[in-house]
Amino acid sequence: MSARPYRVRFAPSPTGYFHVGGARTALYNWILARQHEGTFVLRIEDTDEARNKPEWTEGIISALAWIGVEPGTYEGPHFQSEYAATHLDAARKLFDDGNAYYCDCTQEAVRQRVGPNKGYDGFCRDRQLGPAEGRPLRFKVPQPGSTTVVDLIRGEPVFDHDTIEDFVLLRGNGTVMFLLANVVDDMAMNISHVIRAEEHLPNTPKQQLLWKALGAEPPTWAHVPLLVNEKRQKLSKRRDPVAMEMYRDEGYLADAMKNYLMLLGWNPPGDEEIVPWSLVELSFKLEDVNSSPAFFDVRKLRAFNADYIRKLSVDDFTEACRPWLTGDKAPWSVERFDPAAWERMAPLVQTRVEVLGDVPGMVDFLFDEPTRDDASWAKAMAAPAPALLDDVIDTFEALQPWTADALKAELELIGTKHGLKLGKAQAPVRVAVTGRSVGPPLFEAL
RNA sequence: GGCCCCAUCGUCUAGUGGCCUAGGACACCACCCUCUCAAGGUGGCGGCACGGGUUCGAAUCCCGUUGGGGCUGCCA
C-alpha cells in the first residue's frame, strides 16, 4: 500500500460523450480523494488529434459538475498533450538505460516469423539499433520473470513475462504511445492510486514494469468491474445508451443517477438502497467493491428516479420541471403555458412520472390541443357515451361552483342515470378532454 | 489461439465456515385502496452453474469442468 499522499486521477478521453461507466469511476475517485483529504485530478487524454475538440472537454466538465464534481473543487483539467516533452524524455531514459530498443521489423516480417496469433518475438532486442525514421522504440520486457499486480479489488494476479511482448513505446514517426504517456503522466502528477475499469487490467503489468524501469514505485491499483449490457458485453457507445448527457436530457435527476451508479458493484450498509449521498461518502470502501461485472439496468434506474422525484418537495419538483415546460423542450407554444394551472397539477403529476421528460405528455391537454389516442377514443365513445357526454356538457356548463368535488358529484349522478358507475362514466369524459384513457385525476384536471 | 478476470433469484446485491429453511431492492403476478393511471399497503413467484475434495459442518476454502467477459494495435 502506498504511503504517498492520496492523489487520484480521472482520465477520460474526450470522445464527445460522457460514459456512465466513466461516471462511476469518477465518483469512486472523487469519494476516495475526499475521504483521505487527498487530491482529485482531472486529466484529459487528448493525445489523439481526432479526439481533441474543446467542446468535448467542456462536455466532460459539465457532466462531472452535474454529478456533483464541480470545477474548482478538483485539480485540473490537465491535458496529456502538455506532457509531450516529458514523454519523450522518459523514452530516451528507457533507451539509455538499456530498457528499450529500436526495431526495424516490418509488421509483415513479424507475422511471418511468429504466425497470426502471437505478439512481437523480440527479434531486434540485441541488435543495438539506433533511432531512425520509421523505427519504433520497444520496451525490453525482463526475461525471464513475472510481475505481480497488487490490486485492491482483484487480489494479486500474476503475469508471466513470457506472455508479455516487447510492446511499442514510441511509434516509427516518433510519437508516444498511450501506455507510456499514461505512466509518465501519472508519475509526473504523483498519482498514488489508479482506479479504473477492469479492461485495463491486462495492461497493468506493462505499466508497472514501466514505473519500475523509470525508477519509481508503482501506485496502488484498483480495477473496478465493467458495466455490461443485457448480453453481458462491455457497454459500448454504438449499441448501448451510455451517455450521461442523454440521461440528463431525458430528465433523470443527478442524485438518482449517482445513487444508482454507486449500487453497481457496491452497496451501502443497512437494508436501504436509496440512501443520502452523505452516507455513500462516509461508508464507501474500495475493498468492498465486487469483482463481477454489473448489468446497467435502465428499468431500475427509472424506478430510482421515480422515487427521487416523489421525494422532492412540490416546489422543487415544479422548479425541476421548468426546462421541459417553458424551455426549448416544451411541446407547446410557450405563450399558451399557464403557470397557475401547472402549479395546481404539479403534485398530481409528481407521483405519475419516472423521468422529468414524461411531464409534458401528462399535462399537454392544458396548453395545447390534446393529441387523440384513437384506440382509446374508439373504446370510450361506444354507447351510451355520446348521450352521457351531452348530459355532462349541459350540466357542467351550468355548474356552480366549479370544483373537483362538485364535478365528481355531478358526474356520479349522470352516470347513475345512464346505468354506469363512476369508474365507467369517467372514461368518455377523460378521453374527450385529454385525448387519452390514462392520466392525472380527472376532476382536478377539469 | 495465448494471457487475465468473473460466476448467489430474470437483474443489482447481502452473505467472509455454523445465525441460511439463503435476506433485501428492481422487474413480474395477485389482492387491498381507488374516478382512469399512478402512488401507498399486503402477499406471492424466483437463486448459491456443475463435479470432486477439505471439514463434525460449505453459498462461503481448494482443485477441476462448464459458461460468460476483457485484453491481445506503430488506437486511446
Side-chain angles (χ1 to χ4, degrees):
Chain A
M1 191 118 356
S2 174
R4 278 176 260 167
Y6 213 101
R7 274 176 74 83
V8 296
R9 86 322 194 249
F10 176 56
S13 45
T15 47
Y17 67 98
F18 193 69
H19 196 284
V20 289
R24 186 185 55 159
T25 31
L27 252 15
Y28 285 180
N29 277 291
W30 172 245
I31 293 169
L32 261 1
R34 289 167 69 91
Q35 284 178 347
H36 294 83
E37 292 175 6
T39 309
F40 176 91
V41 174
L42 172 62
R43 186 176 70 232
I44 311 284
E45 311 279 2
D46 68 341
T47 53
D48 185 343
E49 301 280 332
R51 302 183 178 202
N52 190 13
K53 297 205 171 95
E55 64 269 28
W56 288 354
T57 300
E58 287 307 310
I60 291 169
I61 292 170
S62 98
L64 275 173
W66 185 55
I67 55 172
V69 183
E70 298 281 351
T73 61
Y74 56 81
E75 187 184 298
H78 298 269
F79 292 89
Q80 190 167 73
S81 52
E82 290 165 6
Y83 291 81
T86 320
H87 300 153
L88 263 18
D89 289 346
R92 166 155 297 277
K93 175 173 162 56
L94 256 10
F95 176 70
D96 290 346
D97 292 351
N99 290 317
Y101 60 90
Y102 285 94
C103 167
D104 66 358
C105 299
T106 62
Q107 292 178 57
E108 299 75 57
V110 174
R111 200 166 316 121
Q112 256 177 27
R113 285 200 302 268
V114 303
N117 285 326
K118 285 214 153 168
Y120 181 67
D121 59 355
F123 182 81
C124 298
R125 267 193 161 223
D126 302 311
R127 290 178 62 212
Q128 315 284 32
L129 259 26
E133 179 61 33
R135 288 183 187 168
L137 180 71
R138 289 181 179 276
F139 184 68
K140 192 184 281 185
V141 177
Q143 298 289 3
S146 69
T147 289
T148 301
V149 172
V150 179
D151 188 296
L152 257 23
I153 295 172
R154 313 264 139 199
E156 303 191 356
V158 180
F159 298 83
D160 203 311
H161 288 0
D162 61 23
T163 66
I164 304 174
E165 66 172 325
D166 286 350
F167 51 94
V168 172
L169 263 14
L170 253 32
R171 300 186 186 87
N173 65 10
T175 57
V176 69
M177 292 287 287
F178 169 78
L179 203 72
L180 207 219
N182 214 270
V183 167
V184 172
D185 294 347
D186 285 348
M187 281 175 57
M189 294 179 155
N190 237 307
I191 298 302
S192 66
H193 293 68
V194 173
I195 299 147
R196 55 188 355 178
E198 195 203 320
E199 54 190 307
H200 295 287
L201 186 56
N203 286 328
T204 308
K206 298 180 189 173
Q207 294 197 314
Q208 189 159 297
L209 252 13
L210 250 19
W211 277 78
K212 293 205 160 139
L214 257 9
E217 212 34 55
T220 302
W221 309 98
H223 288 89
V224 308
L226 248 26
L227 259 28
V228 298
N229 62 21
E230 62 288 339
K231 280 147 72 185
R232 311 245 106 215
Q233 295 161 322
K234 180 169 80 165
L235 246 34
S236 86
K237 163 80 168 173
R238 281 222 73 75
R239 47 176 190 241
D240 307 303
V242 295
M244 290 289 281
E245 293 89 335
M246 188 202 78
Y247 289 101
R248 180 179 57 192
D249 294 346
E250 285 181 11
Y252 287 85
L253 267 23
D255 285 343
M257 184 57 128
K258 287 162 70 176
N259 195 152
Y260 177 67
L261 246 19
M262 288 305 291
L263 248 37
L264 263 19
W266 178 81
N267 72 1
D271 266 351
E272 296 299 312
E273 286 191 325
I274 295 188
V275 292
W277 185 250
S278 55
L279 177 65
V280 173
E281 280 208 336
L282 203 66
S283 52
F284 177 77
K285 285 212 294 283
L286 217 38
E287 292 82 348
D288 293 339
V289 174
N290 323 144
S291 37
S292 43
F295 170 49
F296 186 86
D297 186 356
V298 180
R299 305 224 283 184
K300 187 157 181 173
L301 206 213
R302 285 184 79 91
F304 269 48
N305 201 58
D307 201 275
Y308 269 88
I309 286 177
R310 274 178 249 125
K311 283 195 166 75
L312 251 28
S313 70
V314 177
D315 284 349
D316 287 347
F317 173 69
T318 308
E319 177 59 25
C321 290
R322 254 218 329 225
W324 282 270
L325 297 170
T326 60
D328 296 341
K329 290 173 178 165
W332 46 73
S333 58
V334 188
E335 314 84 66
R336 295 197 56 179
F337 178 71
D338 175 1
W342 159 240
E343 226 166 272
R344 284 198 298 275
M345 287 301 288
L348 270 19
V349 171
Q350 193 172 357
T351 57
R352 288 175 171 77
V353 292
E354 292 186 314
V355 294
L356 265 19
D358 288 346
V359 170
M362 210 95 229
V363 296
D364 57 353
F365 61 90
L366 291 171
F367 313 122
D368 206 346
E369 292 307 312
T371 40
R372 193 166 92 184
D373 178 59
D374 289 331
S376 302
W377 182 272
K379 194 171 172 208
M381 290 309 164
L388 177 134
L389 280 176
D390 287 339
D391 284 352
V392 167
I393 292 166
D394 291 344
T395 311
F396 282 11
E397 267 178 353
L399 186 66
Q400 281 295 347
W402 184 266
T403 66
D405 286 344
L407 288 163
K408 182 180 173 186
E410 290 301 332
L411 184 59
E412 247 170 341
L413 280 174
I414 298 168
T416 311
K417 181 179 149 196
H418 291 269
L420 295 174
K421 288 214 161 93
L422 188 53
K424 292 279 186 198
Q426 60 88 35
V429 183
R430 175 183 299 281
V431 175
V433 174
T434 70
R436 283 180 297 268
S437 58
V438 299
L442 180 61
F443 307 107
E444 282 78 358
L446 288 171

